[in-house]
Amino acid sequence: MASPSWHAHISCGGGTVGAGFLFTDRHVLTCAHVVWQEEQVEIRFPGLPGHEPVLARVVARGCWAGDSRDPGDWAVLELPGPVPVRPVRFARLDAPYAYPAPKLLAHGFPQDYEEGLISELRASTDRLTANEWTQLEDWKGYGASVSGGFSGSAVSLADGGEVVGMVCAMEPVRMVSAHVLARSWPPLAEHVPTPGHDPGEKRALAALVARVPEGAAEPDRLFRQAVGPLGLAPPDGGFASVWEAVWHLLAESAPRAGAFPLAEFTVRLATAVDEGPSPDPELGRELRAWAQAYRSRRDAPAGPSGRAPDLGWSPVLVDINRSGEGRNALLVEVYAYRDGSRRLVDATTVTGEKQLRDWVLDRVDDAFGDLDDRGRALVAFALPRNWLNKPVDQWVRRKGIEPPLGCVSPVVVMDRLRRRNPRLQWTLRQMWEILDGRHTSPVHRIECGAAPRPDKLSVQLQDVYGPVGFARPPDPGRAATGPHGAALDAPSPIVLWPHTGCAGASCDGGCRGSGFLDALAERLTRLAPGELPGHVLKLRKEAFVHDEDAPHWAAGLTLVWEDPRRFPPVTPPDRSPLS
C-alpha cells in the first residue's frame, strides 16, 4: 500500500526537523515544540514526488510553555495555497482503544531518513495522563522506534489509515489524541467524527462559541442544567472553558429522541450571553436559532400527505419558580414538547410581573417554532401553589390592541408542588388511563363555605374521576393547606374555579359562585375530559367579547388540567464508549 501523501516533513531554523499532517487542503497540524518560537517554517510532502517545498505560517498554538510536561503541545500551520493532497480522515474517538488492540502507525523523520521511517505502536490504555496524553507502546518490541523527528507525526490505524492522534513525546511514547486536540482547538472539531453530529453544524457552533465573551457564562453550571441529575457526568475538575463543555457533549453523547442536551446547553448559553456583563442579543439569537435548527433536523419525518393523524395536544410549558436570588426574583423556563421530548426554548431570571409577562409572551411565541403542527397547541403554566389563581390566561402585551393569551390558545395551569411528587404523578397517569375512555365530565361541586376539612376533602376526592368545581377562588394565604390544596393533593386531575368570588367565610348558596358551578355543569358535562382545554378556550373568547353590563360567568375562569403523559420527563442522554 502506498504511503499517504498527507505526511508532512517540517524544517525549522537551526536545523530542527519534525513531522506533521495535512488535515485540510491548506492546514497542517504539528507539535508546538517543533515550531517553537518560529513564525514561518518549510514544509514538503514526501509522498508527493516532485512537489516543491513551501513556506507555511504558524497561525495557532497551544499553551505549551517549553517543558516536556506542559499541556497544549500543538500548533497549526497554514500553507500559502491548497496542495493537491487528500487530507487525513480522523477515526472514531474510541477506535485506538478497541479490543483486541489495533495496530497503529506513526511516520516520522529521524536524522538521515528524509523519506521517513514507520513505527508500529498500540495504545497501552484508554486512560489519559494528566487529562492530556495517551501512552503508546511498541507493537512487537523491535523494529523502528519512535525517536527524534517523530514529533508531530500522525498516529493512524494500520487497517484503514484513519488518524487517531499525534505523537508528542518519546520515552515513553505519548500521543495527543484527536479527542484532546479538538477539545483544545475548536476548528478541528468539524473534522473529528462525533456520534450523530454533522461537520457543518459543529463548524457553525464552534464559530458561535468563539464569539462568547470571556466570563459571560459558567460552563459547569450550564452543563449540569442541560444534562440533568441523571445525565452525562462532567470530567473531574470541570470545564476550563465553554468550548470544553460543548466538546464534551459532542464527543460523549449522541442526540436521540427525547435527549438533546447540546441544544439545551446552547439555549442556556444564549441566555447567559444576553444577561452577561457585555450583553450581545444578536449572538443570543444566533445561538437559539442554531439550537432550533439542530433539533429540527432530528425531528421525526412528517406523515404522508392528506389528513394528519390526531396527535392530541402539542404543549408549551411555562415553568415559573422563585429563584432564591432575591425576594422578587423568579426563575422562568419555557419548553416546547415534540415527539415525546422536552425542548428548552429559553430560560431567564426576572423581577417584577410586567417583565415576567412580556418575556413569557415573547418566548411562548418562539416555542411554536418547535411544535408539531399536526397537534393542537396547549399552553401550560407550572406555578407555585400560591400563584395558581394568577390570571395568566389574561396576560397581554398591549391591552386594547392584542387579545389576551387565553383567547389565542388553550391555557391551563399546573401545580409545581404536585409535579415534583412521584406518587401523585403516578396516580394522575393511572386516572387519565380511565378518563381517556369517558365521554362525559360531570362536575363535582364544592359550594361556597361547604367544603369539609381539607384532609377529609382530599380523601373524598380520591374517587372523583373528573372535574372538581369550586364556587370561589383559593385564599392566597391558605393555598397549600385550604380546600383547593386538598383537591390538588387528592390528586384531582381537573379543577376549576373563578378568579373572584365571595370573600366571606360562609354563603347562603345563592351567590355568583353557585351560578358559576351551574354554568360549568351545563357547558362541560357532555364533553370528554381530554377536550376541556379546547372548550375553555371557547368560553374565554365568549367572555372576552361579552358586552353586556353583567359580567360573563366565565370571565376569570381558572382551569387546572394536568395529564402527566403530555409532559414526559427528560430522558438522560446515551453515553459513548469514551464516557
Side-chain angles (χ1 to χ4, degrees):
M1 183 182 293
S3 174
S5 300
W6 41 255
H7 290 298
H9 178 284
I10 299 174
S11 301
C12 306
T16 302
V17 173
F21 55 95
L22 194 75
F23 68 93
T24 77
D25 61 359
R26 59 177 300 186
H27 291 94
V28 170
L29 196 60
T30 187
C31 288
H33 76 259
V34 170
V35 295
W36 180 238
Q37 296 182 331
E38 300 284 344
E39 296 299 328
Q40 200 171 52
V41 298
E42 183 181 88
I43 293 181
R44 63 184 181 85
F45 297 93
L48 192 63
H51 190 270
E52 295 295 324
V54 295
L55 291 179
R57 295 185 305 115
V58 180
V59 294
R61 301 178 192 266
C63 58
W64 188 77
D67 191 278
S68 61
R69 293 168 294 184
D70 289 338
D73 191 3
W74 58 268
V76 177
L77 315 178
E78 185 176 77
L79 305 175
V83 293
V85 173
R86 180 177 296 174
V88 301
R89 288 183 298 111
F90 285 92
R92 285 173 49 96
L93 295 176
D94 59 341
Y97 316 117
Y99 181 83
K103 182 187 290 186
L104 308 176
L105 303 179
H107 191 132
F109 303 96
Q111 189 173 5
D112 299 328
Y113 289 92
E114 289 201 0
E115 74 284 4
L117 285 178
I118 297 175
S119 181
E120 298 178 333
L121 304 161
R122 67 175 143 214
S124 304
T125 176
D126 61 350
R127 295 186 181 181
L128 296 180
T129 302
N131 199 33
E132 185 79 8
W133 304 290
T134 300
Q135 188 169 315
L136 305 179
E137 60 187 22
D138 287 338
W139 176 256
K140 52 193 176 185
Y142 57 88
S145 298
V146 171
S147 58
F150 272 83
S151 292
S153 63
V155 180
S156 60
L157 298 171
D159 184 10
E162 294 94 346
V163 169
V164 300
M166 179 178 71
V167 173
C168 64
M170 286 70 75
E171 299 180 6
V173 181
R174 285 179 171 175
M175 170 182 78
V176 183
S177 67
H179 182 285
V180 173
L181 289 169
R183 184 189 71 194
S184 304
W185 194 56
L188 191 63
E190 66 176 280
H191 304 285
V192 178
T194 50
H197 299 103
D198 177 77
E201 61 191 6
K202 289 192 289 184
R203 182 191 316 121
L205 181 57
L208 291 173
V209 171
R211 291 165 52 193
V212 175
E214 187 174 355
E218 302 174 41
D220 291 349
R221 179 177 61 84
L222 296 184
F223 181 87
R224 288 193 302 270
Q225 292 173 340
V227 301
L230 300 178
L232 182 67
D236 292 340
F239 303 103
S241 67
V242 171
W243 172 253
E244 283 196 8
V246 169
W247 175 248
H248 194 68
L249 289 167
L250 283 166
E252 302 288 344
S253 65
R256 60 183 174 84
F260 297 108
L262 181 60
E264 181 146 334
F265 181 94
T266 305
V267 172
R268 293 183 183 277
L269 177 61
T271 300
V273 167
D274 286 346
E275 300 174 354
S278 302
D280 188 343
E282 179 60 29
L283 177 56
R285 282 192 292 271
E286 292 180 47
L287 286 165
R288 291 186 186 92
W290 184 95
Q292 185 177 42
Y294 173 89
R295 291 184 293 218
S296 296
R297 284 190 289 270
R298 289 156 178 82
D299 285 338
S305 59
R307 187 176 183 275
D310 182 11
L311 300 183
W313 299 107
S314 290
V316 174
L317 173 63
V318 181
D319 193 319
I320 301 176
N321 193 26
R322 303 197 182 281
S323 75
E325 295 182 13
R327 182 176 180 181
N328 298 317
L330 297 167
L331 177 62
V332 196
E333 297 174 328
V334 177
Y335 296 92
Y337 281 81
R338 183 185 180 110
D339 300 328
S341 66
R342 189 182 79 176
R343 304 173 175 205
L344 179 66
V345 176
D346 209 348
T348 192
T349 301
V350 300
T351 55
E353 192 163 320
K354 183 182 186 307
Q355 182 186 7
L356 169 67
R357 183 185 67 234
D358 292 347
W359 187 92
V360 166
L361 292 174
D362 286 342
R363 296 317 183 272
V364 166
D365 285 351
D366 294 341
F368 276 75
D370 272 316
L371 294 184
D372 192 320
D373 56 12
R374 295 173 295 170
R376 294 170 293 166
L378 174 71
V379 180
F381 283 77
L383 303 170
R385 187 164 287 189
N386 63 349
W387 268 53
L388 287 176
N389 198 43
K390 288 279 186 182
V392 293
D393 58 285
Q394 297 176 19
W395 280 2
V396 62
R397 294 183 193 86
R398 297 178 297 173
K399 195 170 183 180
I401 298 176
E402 298 177 353
L405 179 63
C407 291
V408 176
S409 299
V411 174
V412 302
V413 296
M414 299 187 293
D415 175 27
R416 289 194 85 256
L417 189 64
R418 186 162 76 172
R419 281 178 53 77
R420 296 198 304 269
N421 188 311
R423 177 181 63 82
L424 296 180
Q425 292 295 295
W426 182 91
T427 304
L428 285 170
R429 286 192 293 270
Q430 299 299 308
M431 296 180 82
W432 274 105
E433 291 296 327
I434 296 172
L435 289 173
D436 281 345
R438 297 189 173 180
H439 302 289
T440 59
S441 299
V443 178
H444 182 91
R445 302 168 64 104
I446 300 180
E447 303 281 357
C448 278
R453 205 173 66 189
D455 55 349
K456 293 185 178 181
L457 177 61
S458 185
V459 171
Q460 292 174 6
L461 294 180
Q462 288 176 9
D463 298 320
V464 175
Y465 286 65
V468 174
F470 282 90
R472 61 168 62 187
D475 180 347
R478 299 177 58 234
T481 58
H484 297 72
L488 297 172
D489 292 336
S492 297
I494 305 166
V495 187
L496 304 102
W497 64 75
H499 285 320
T500 59
C502 295
S506 60
C507 182
D508 60 9
C511 64
R512 180 186 172 192
S514 181
F516 170 82
L517 294 179
D518 291 341
L520 272 186
E522 180 183 350
R523 297 294 296 267
L524 302 187
T525 298
R526 297 183 183 88
L527 299 173
E531 297 299 319
L532 295 187
H535 191 72
V536 168
L537 169 64
K538 296 178 182 178
L539 293 177
R540 286 172 174 153
K541 290 180 179 179
E542 288 180 17
F544 185 70
V545 299
H546 182 75
D547 287 330
E548 298 179 16
D549 293 337
H552 192 281
W553 70 270
L557 169 63
T558 292
L559 171 61
V560 177
W561 186 92
E562 184 173 3
D563 181 352
R565 302 169 305 171
R566 306 293 179 186
F567 304 92
V570 177
T571 306
D574 286 332
R575 299 187 180 188
S576 79
L578 287 182
S579 298

